[in-house]
Amino acid sequence: MALQMERWAGSKLGEKAYFLMVCVDPAAERTARKFVSEYDLKHVIVGFCGAQNEYPPFPGQLGCGGLVLFSPGGRIAVPKTPSYNQIGLKAWFTADCAIATLCDEDDEGDDEEDVKHRLYRNMNELRLDLQNGGVGVIAAKEEAQSKNPTSTSVIEKEKKKALGSVPRVGHDLMDEEHEHCAALFQQLEREPSVEVFEALVREMQEHFEHEEQLLKQTGFGSASPAGLSPLITHSQDHKRIITTANAMLEAARAAARVKGKGGDFASVLRGGAKELAELFVAHATQHDSRYVEYLATF
């Protein structure tokens, strides 16, 4: 969410509206500073609530659960935009339309380039920015690479990474399960079959259940204000990924049924594996990374 907010704030919409992120977890100031540092935030305003009496007097939710939009007069115009954790990037497209409307931006008069660059168009683009430290980092590196054709493209380097591999979180069981999932992603890429896809979905489902149990047992997010626990959005993202995975699995089964009738079975499976791996890696980068320091205290 931080990177999408940064894109909005750095676009022409940022000339007409303030984009504000407020950290509310127990270590709010540290989290706010970490976000600014990790993601090189220059345009979005980042704040924090240092005490409970500083929490906003209106209902809210974490950014991945939807934004609160205010009118120019300071009234709440949209109490909750669609949730990224429920519908993915479409949530940000919908929010963009609402923000543009509140800013009196006429769609027909919008700068097409501005609209193009202020929204993430796919999960891979978001994942690359998350992993490389900020908005447009990859684009800048690619531009520099174009001036030095002998160097290896950043995108090409990313392609060489093992499918589904994620950074370690420092917890033996979680890291082991992440590796099991990655191994199945890679097996599916090598040997596309419904059986491997089914095994992958089962492994992911079990991992997500184990992860949520661990976070609940250790009290992750329990000190957060009601409705603002990071565990809520974490769990919601798990559900979104599994829903997507099950839909892909059904598509794979359908492709298997027409395999002998000219259906491109292998392409369907490999495409599904790649798309699902992008969701898995983005989840680890956005959500799992937030509990690394917390679990290190146990």
Side-chain angles (χ1 to χ4, degrees):
M1 190 70 239
L3 292 182
Q4 180 55 66
M5 291 283 281
E6 176 70 3
R7 280 200 169 194
W8 276 321
S11 73
K12 289 188 176 180
L13 289 181
E15 299 172 5
K16 297 185 176 183
Y18 293 109
F19 290 85
L20 172 66
M21 290 173 48
V22 181
C23 296
V24 296
D25 65 334
E29 181 176 0
R30 185 177 67 177
T31 300
R33 293 184 182 279
K34 185 176 180 181
F35 264 91
V36 172
S37 174
E38 278 189 8
Y39 299 130
D40 193 28
L41 303 180
K42 296 183 176 71
H43 302 96
V44 63
I45 301 169
V46 181
F48 64 92
C49 292
Q52 195 164 6
N53 61 5
E54 295 178 357
Y55 294 142
F58 52 83
Q61 56 277 327
L62 295 182
C64 288
L67 305 178
V68 180
L69 305 183
F70 290 82
S71 70
R75 294 180 178 275
I76 294 178
V78 181
K80 183 179 180 181
T81 61
S83 168
Y84 166 84
N85 286 331
Q86 293 178 352
I87 62 173
L89 296 180
K90 291 179 182 178
W92 296 347
F93 299 159
T94 304
D96 184 83
C97 292
I99 295 167
T101 299
L102 288 170
C103 291
D104 292 325
E105 286 281 309
D106 183 356
D107 287 344
E108 294 181 1
D110 270 353
D111 183 328
E112 290 186 8
E113 281 301 305
D114 187 63
V115 174
K116 177 182 176 181
H117 291 295
R118 76 187 184 212
L119 283 169
Y120 281 100
R121 298 292 167 171
N122 56 67
M123 288 302 301
N124 194 47
E125 184 183 4
L126 173 60
R127 177 180 64 83
L128 289 174
D129 272 359
L130 282 167
Q131 291 183 324
N132 288 277
V135 170
V137 170
I138 292 299
K141 289 182 178 179
E142 285 296 293
E143 183 178 353
Q145 192 272 336
S146 67
K147 298 175 182 177
N148 181 16
T150 59
S151 64
T152 304
S153 163
V154 176
I155 301 297
E156 288 303 314
K157 288 180 180 178
E158 285 293 326
K159 288 179 180 177
K160 292 178 181 178
K161 288 185 178 180
L163 195 67
S165 295
V166 300
R168 296 183 67 81
V169 297
H171 186 278
D172 290 344
L173 178 60
M174 295 299 101
D175 286 330
E176 182 179 337
E177 291 185 351
H178 283 159
E179 290 172 3
H180 288 168
C181 290
L184 285 168
F185 275 120
Q186 293 153 34
Q187 183 181 352
L188 187 57
E189 189 177 36
R190 294 190 309 271
E191 309 162 12
S193 73
V194 171
E195 291 73 22
V196 176
F197 210 135
E198 288 173 339
L200 171 61
V201 175
R202 282 197 303 272
E203 185 72 27
M204 290 176 63
Q205 177 77 64
E206 290 175 4
H207 164 61
F208 289 161
E209 290 173 358
H210 295 164
E211 190 172 59
E212 289 180 27
Q213 289 170 3
L214 171 67
L215 296 179
K216 288 176 183 177
Q217 288 169 359
T218 56
F220 179 70
S222 60
S224 300
L228 297 178
S229 168
L231 182 56
I232 294 175
T233 53
H234 198 122
S235 300
Q236 288 174 342
D237 205 46
H238 282 167
K239 291 176 183 176
R240 179 176 69 92
I241 293 172
I242 291 300
T243 298
T244 302
N246 283 324
M248 290 179 176
L249 181 55
E250 285 305 310
R253 288 170 176 155
R257 288 193 289 271
V258 298
K259 183 179 178 182
K261 303 176 184 179
D264 195 353
F265 178 66
S267 293
V268 170
L269 288 175
R270 288 195 176 100
K274 182 180 178 182
E275 185 177 346
L276 195 56
E278 288 177 358
L279 293 177
F280 184 72
V281 173
H283 171 84
T285 306
Q286 289 179 273
H287 294 277
D288 292 359
S289 62
R290 297 301 157 203
Y291 67 64
V292 173
E293 290 185 9
Y294 180 80
L295 291 185
T297 63
F298 287 86

